[in-house]
Amino acid sequence: MVDIKNNGDGICSMWVRKKIEITGGELLRGVFSCCLPANREQLLNEIEQTFAPGQTFVCLSIRSGFDLFLRTMNWPAGSEIVMSGLTIPDMPRIVRRNQLVPVGVDVDVDTLAPKLDALRASINPQTKAIVVAHLFGGRVEMDAIVALAQEHGLMLVEDCAQAYVGNHYRGHSGTDVSMFSFGPIKTNTALGGGVFVVRKKSLLQRLNESHEQWRVNGRWSFAKRIMKYAGVRFISTRLIAGTIARTARLLGSDHDGLATKMARGFPGPRFFDKIRQQPSTPLLGLLAKKLQTFDPEFIARRIKRGKNSTECLRSRVDVLGSQMSEPTFWVFPILVNDRTALVKKLWALGFDATTRSSLVPINRVLDDSGNYSESDLASDPQLLNSHFIFQNLVFLPFDVSIPEDKLTIMARAILDAGATRPARPISSLPELKTLADGEHSLC
């Protein structure tokens, strides 16, 4: 049994793994906008001018835009889409619903980039596009992948859902489409919305024409969404989160599963009906305001904290994504042995770590219903690293509201618990950069 103890502040509380990055004032503004008329075209123009003039496509979510992109391309049934082997289940699910075949390419454990040799080997006459996901707030080096796509005449799509950094990055200029998300747990959230940078005018026009055929999501639907996430934000306070976790334990329930469920953007049935809508006008208003007022110093502070925590832990565990290009620590994932025991120890100290992830290896997604397997069946030999990450991953609380001294306490607790990095698959051993025993640590 897990007992949530006094964590040094005289109360039973928990530092939550991820807070929704939206203020009470922004939530209130969103509610009022659901009651007031607004010029939809003006809001779309504001988003375009802020993001990428002449190249911007605005949709309800990345899932919506990606589905519309595949429908607009209208490739023959059975065509293949090569994708980063570790992704959210909905992405291959959307590929399959469009009668296409998702082909997963394994990722490098250190950089989380699709392995270039495996990427090249996966291309055949049926291949139509490559989709590269930037994971955990870092970025994949795209130059070689851009060259490969151009060599084979393939569309190249960049999934930047977890890699928003403000004006600093709008996607690689060599990609055809760069997709950014402003969903509930994303950086600079508007509680929804996807913004695509589309570099071919003909494709942008086709997307907009197809998009106009979808109905507009209702403003009251968005109002209910605001209320839902206002509630999530409230229960993410330390005392409330700790009380809920302790109550769930006493009732034999699982607060971890509840938190994961509440973070889902499109829960329940009728998934494709839900994503095949245009964003509501109030959502556009909130998104336009968030884009205009985003403070890039927020990212700089997060990077500094991430590097400090990485330095504390690097002698014993791997901080996943820290060797990506420009890691921004949107989340703080580590790879450890015996992750379940570590999570329980951290819960007892008031740190809401979790082994649950929205990412899965592509070959575990069973069909276009979005169901996937969590069994420990033999891994696909082509996705060894993706399975290795999936099976050893722990997310640590890393919200910017957590004081740095608390992050240091958490890091020391991880080291004191005897956490160690798991043995990597043979395929990744040449890439392993281990540290000598006893290397200096800030903690």
Side-chain angles (χ1 to χ4, degrees):
M1 287 292 207
V2 179
D3 186 20
I4 300 173
K5 298 178 180 178
N6 182 318
N7 63 11
D9 295 321
I11 57 175
C12 293
S13 58
M14 290 193 85
W15 295 105
V16 298
R17 70 192 68 154
K18 186 73 177 173
K19 280 189 177 180
I20 297 176
E21 295 171 6
I22 194 165
T23 66
E26 289 168 337
L27 289 169
L28 193 59
R29 177 190 178 93
V31 170
F32 281 127
S33 70
C34 292
C35 306
L36 301 173
N39 187 320
R40 184 178 181 84
E41 293 304 316
Q42 180 180 337
L43 292 172
L44 286 168
N45 184 63
E46 288 179 14
I47 294 170
E48 178 180 355
Q49 294 306 312
T50 302
F51 215 84
Q55 297 182 323
T56 300
F57 171 69
V58 185
C59 49
L60 183 62
S61 72
I62 276 188
R63 295 166 177 85
S64 306
F66 184 57
D67 178 55
L68 187 67
F69 165 74
L70 294 180
R71 298 179 76 182
T72 300
M73 295 309 300
N74 196 29
W75 285 308
S79 297
E80 297 183 358
I81 309 297
V82 175
M83 309 177 72
S84 298
L86 196 64
T87 188
I88 62 170
D90 287 340
M91 297 302 277
R93 174 186 191 182
I94 290 168
V95 171
R96 287 198 174 100
R97 175 55 67 94
N98 283 277
Q99 300 183 57
L100 305 172
V101 180
V103 177
V105 173
D106 209 7
V107 297
D108 179 277
V109 175
D110 292 312
T111 66
L112 298 174
K115 292 189 163 190
L116 196 60
D117 55 348
L119 198 58
R120 184 179 295 276
S122 69
I123 296 172
N124 62 55
Q126 284 70 51
T127 306
K128 300 301 180 184
I130 298 172
V131 180
V132 176
H134 302 295
L135 302 176
F136 305 131
R139 290 209 306 272
V140 170
E141 292 285 358
M142 292 295 296
D143 288 350
I145 300 174
V146 168
L148 181 64
Q150 293 174 347
E151 176 188 344
H152 291 274
L154 302 175
M155 296 286 286
L156 181 56
V157 178
E158 199 178 2
D159 185 348
C160 307
Q162 301 180 7
Y164 177 76
V165 291
N167 293 332
H168 177 61
Y169 190 72
R170 290 291 191 252
H172 192 286
S173 61
T175 60
D176 294 288
V177 179
S178 301
M179 311 185 295
F180 294 85
S181 173
F182 299 90
I185 63 170
K186 299 300 192 299
T187 298
N188 201 33
T189 180
L191 304 182
V195 181
F196 285 27
V197 178
V198 183
R199 295 179 175 82
K200 294 180 180 177
K201 288 187 177 180
S202 60
L203 175 58
L204 179 59
Q205 181 178 350
R206 290 164 62 197
L207 287 171
N208 280 315
E209 289 173 353
S210 298
H211 199 218
E212 289 174 0
Q213 305 306 310
W214 287 1
R215 71 180 180 90
V216 176
N217 184 252
R219 59 177 61 235
W220 301 119
S221 175
F222 188 59
K224 288 190 291 185
R225 191 175 183 84
I226 293 173
M227 292 297 99
K228 171 186 173 179
Y229 288 105
V232 172
R233 182 175 177 270
F234 171 72
I235 66 175
S236 296
T237 56
R238 293 176 55 211
L239 180 58
I240 300 298
T243 301
I244 290 173
R246 183 169 59 173
T247 302
R249 176 185 64 80
L250 293 173
L251 296 175
S253 185
D254 177 10
H255 87 278
D256 197 26
L258 175 64
T260 302
K261 183 177 181 180
M262 293 185 72
R264 290 177 183 166
F266 296 94
R270 299 175 49 249
F271 170 77
F272 285 94
D273 289 340
K274 291 176 180 177
I275 68 169
R276 289 174 178 170
Q277 301 180 60
Q278 296 183 55
S280 68
T281 301
L283 170 54
L284 295 177
L286 182 57
L287 177 57
K289 187 66 174 179
K290 293 283 288 189
L291 291 174
Q292 293 163 5
T293 59
F294 181 69
D295 181 6
E297 282 301 309
F298 173 83
I299 299 291
R301 294 193 299 270
R302 201 170 67 188
I303 291 172
K304 179 181 178 182
R305 290 156 57 87
K307 288 182 176 179
N308 288 342
S309 293
T310 298
E311 187 64 24
C312 286
L313 293 168
R314 64 197 293 261
S315 65
R316 298 279 291 279
V317 304
D318 290 320
V319 177
L320 197 57
S322 63
Q323 295 186 40
M324 297 183 76
S325 175
E326 300 188 46
T328 65
F329 302 96
W330 170 64
V331 289
F332 201 88
I334 62 174
L335 298 176
V336 293
N337 280 313
D338 199 3
R339 61 180 184 162
T340 301
L342 176 62
V343 164
K344 289 183 177 180
K345 289 176 182 177
L346 291 175
W347 283 357
L349 294 171
F351 296 102
D352 189 24
T354 183
T355 63
R356 294 177 183 264
S357 173
S358 61
L359 302 175
V360 298
I362 276 186
N363 68 341
R364 292 203 174 199
V365 181
L366 303 178
D367 50 43
D368 70 7
S369 70
N371 295 323
Y372 64 92
S373 167
E374 293 185 350
S375 65
D376 290 325
L377 300 175
S379 298
D380 183 340
Q382 301 302 315
L383 293 176
L384 286 179
N385 289 346
S386 298
H387 280 272
F388 167 75
I389 292 169
F390 180 70
Q391 292 165 351
N392 294 282
L393 185 62
V394 172
F395 288 100
L396 302 179
F398 197 68
D399 185 78
V400 291
S401 66
I402 304 176
E404 292 205 36
D405 65 321
K406 298 298 182 184
L407 294 178
T408 301
I409 290 171
M410 179 174 64
R412 287 174 176 163
I414 292 168
L415 299 178
D416 290 345
T420 57
R421 54 172 57 89
R424 296 194 183 188
I426 296 297
S427 66
S428 69
L429 287 179
E431 304 154 9
L432 183 59
K433 302 173 180 66
T434 56
L435 296 169
D437 290 340
E439 183 168 337
H440 174 68
S441 167
L442 290 180
C443 296

